[in-house]
Amino acid sequence: MGDRAHTHTGAAGRAATADRPTSIRNVVLVGHSGSGKTTLVEALALTAGAVNRAGRVEDGGTISDYDEIEHHRQRSVQLSLVPVEWNGYKINLLDTPGYADFVGELRAGLRAADAALFVVSAAQEADAVEGTTRAVWEECAAVGMPRAIVVTHLDTARTSFDGMTRVCAELFGGDDPDAVVPLYLPVRGPQAPDGHAPLTGLTGLLSQRIFDYSSGERQETPPADGEREPLRDARNRLIEGIIAESEDETLMDHYLGGGDIDIKTLVDDLERAVARGVFHPVLTAAPAADGARQGVGTVELLELITGGFPTPLERILPAVTTPQGAPRPAPVCDPQGPLVAEVVKTASDPYVGRMSLVRVFAGTLRPDDTVHICGHGLTDPGHGERPAHEAEIRVGALTSPFGKQQRPLTRCIAGDLACVARLGAAETGDTLSATDGPLLMEPWTMPDPLLPVAIRAHSKADEDKLSQGLARLVAEDPTMRLEQNQDTHQVVLWCMGEAHRDVALERLRSHYGVQVDAVPHRVPLRETFATRCTGRGRHVKQSGGHGQYAICEIEVEPLPPGAGIEFVDKVVGGAVPRQFIPSVEKGVRAQAARGVASGHPLVDVRITLLDGKAHSVDSSDAAFQTAAALALREAAADTRIQLLEPVAEVSVLIPDDYVGAVMSDLSGRRGRVVGTEQAPGGRTVVRAEVPELEIGRYAVDLRSLAHGTGRFDRSYARHEAMPPQLADRVREEREGVPD
């Protein structure tokens, strides 16, 4: 890489296509928000000839049009695909959002790709790189995904390639920091008065050749006298790292004995080590200057992708079963085999309709094919083993996205990606397979959304469209969950964070024409009796004809937490006729569900029917239901009603440096820390029980507290008594909130 001759075939004006899996490379770009991933994709597309000048496609749009951008924040919020061609290879570049709220888009990109470029900015702090990127690196390491590192923004003042390389080796090297070493060193131009020296080219450590981009085209020159010696240490570290990962065990002895190793042997071993996911070269890149056709380092990156990253044939494919759960042999990446594909992303356009980004793992997908669609339902908590939905559907047009265009495709072979129109109700994560042998792929994991956002329609017209708009929104985004809370009667969108929430609400408005208002989220509280008490309900009315007559006397006593509502009949002598006993029970249970003091359901009490009266003509089922409800309300008026709040079991995973701050914060939220335990990688799991009233915004607050390095999960534990002062405040607030 760096010694190979390079030619390229431009893809501008036509769709990049592939004839065989070995000519395809699927690469996901991962990195912190602002690290320069989208700019790097633009630079690679320009160098590969997919665009005619920086950031411009032939129809006058920009490459950034493929990505939905919040223009006021300049933040990418969706996974985007940009296919380019280089040296006869088709490269599918998958650009992922760097902001933590959109981790679902990142996970989809990892599923679709076979290798990853980790993009880190030399202008960012080391903790920013660690906070959002280290966990993804570990995910890739767990499955052996090949990775390389690209350092960006070296063309800004006061940046250091050596310093950033050391940071990457510490963060990503793990037990083997020597596996993270530079492949090229930057060459800088004359220093400006402010101390800034622009990036003009690279020096290849293996070839010891200089690749100069100052003219706008890559020019290869030999180093000047005296320039080889400063590179010796870096070159030796690189060679030693390559040899340490080489499958030829004799190379190290030969090298340590002072023998020379052929450059071609080193390059071949480097490419094999990168493809196996055990060696991670560090490169640098910068966008092309105005009028230039190639950005610094873009040719080297394309050579690494095509020469060092694996083909789809080398990927271990996800396990498959029948829709009924019976295991099946793993699919083979063969265009001639049975179809196995997966929807990795779903998007809707108000003009085009629903589009599905599909990765074909086996077989070939063609327009007008009839396929079997089967899905676990990534949007449903738990992702059960049985499919959530199945259907057979005819495939619409296949296209390759680029800018504002969708370029038609005649087929999509195993290992490739394409956009598919009109896949019906297909959701992200669904499996596409042959109708005569339906299959279901093992789903990938998605984080649970932990920020609740209660919404309501802005107007009656919006209310009519709300249900359909929300259903489509959640089907597109598996990291969003919709809840119709039966206790609070609120519609709740569970999101990953505030940015995720803002994008979701804006998408409802702009894509589906639904305007909604965010309202305060209400936690489902409960009520219970603090002491034993009695109540009498009298419902007697006479208005001509049959009247209404029922009298009930009840006793209410508290029960242990979790006991629910218990009804006991202790009537003697037939004071309440037997046919009306169920009516009394129905009445008290209905009133308990409505609440007796502050509108929250009543729980954990025993209600005993002691006595009553009936009329031979005027008593009825409805009358005794009403009398029972009145009796329960009267009993509540004569005693103290205790508010119960839900308590969650919370597990927080954070670096050891933040344990003290997190535990102190949880205590300030009325939480009880119940234990800690060590986790790999210098991290700690803090387990606590915290009232849910205190953690509504914890998804946002933890990110700030731990600088983006922490994550947590929560589960309902129980309801328990709320402190009296807080209960009084909640009651006061409740009185001013309409249902």
Side-chain angles (χ1 to χ4, degrees), residues 37 121 130 141 156 167 187 233 330 349 352 367 369 464 473-475 511 519 572 592 602 667 694 704:
K37 298 182 298 299
S121 170
E130 180 180 18
T156 58
V167 167
V187 175
D233 289 344
D349 184 275
V352 178
D369 282 352
D464 295 337
L473 185 71
V474 172
H511 283 207
V519 297
V572 294
L602 177 69
S667 297
E694 305 290 344
S704 174

Side-chain angles (χ1 to χ4, degrees), residues 518-553:
V519 297
H521 175 247
R522 298 205 294 265
V523 170
L525 304 178
R526 301 284 186 268
E527 299 173 347
T528 193
F529 279 59
T531 59
R532 182 194 302 261
C533 60
T534 60
R536 186 172 188 267
R538 184 175 185 273
H539 183 61
V540 178
K541 289 187 177 181
Q542 187 67 46
S543 57
H546 284 298
Q548 299 180 54
Y549 189 98
I551 297 175
C552 295
E553 294 183 8

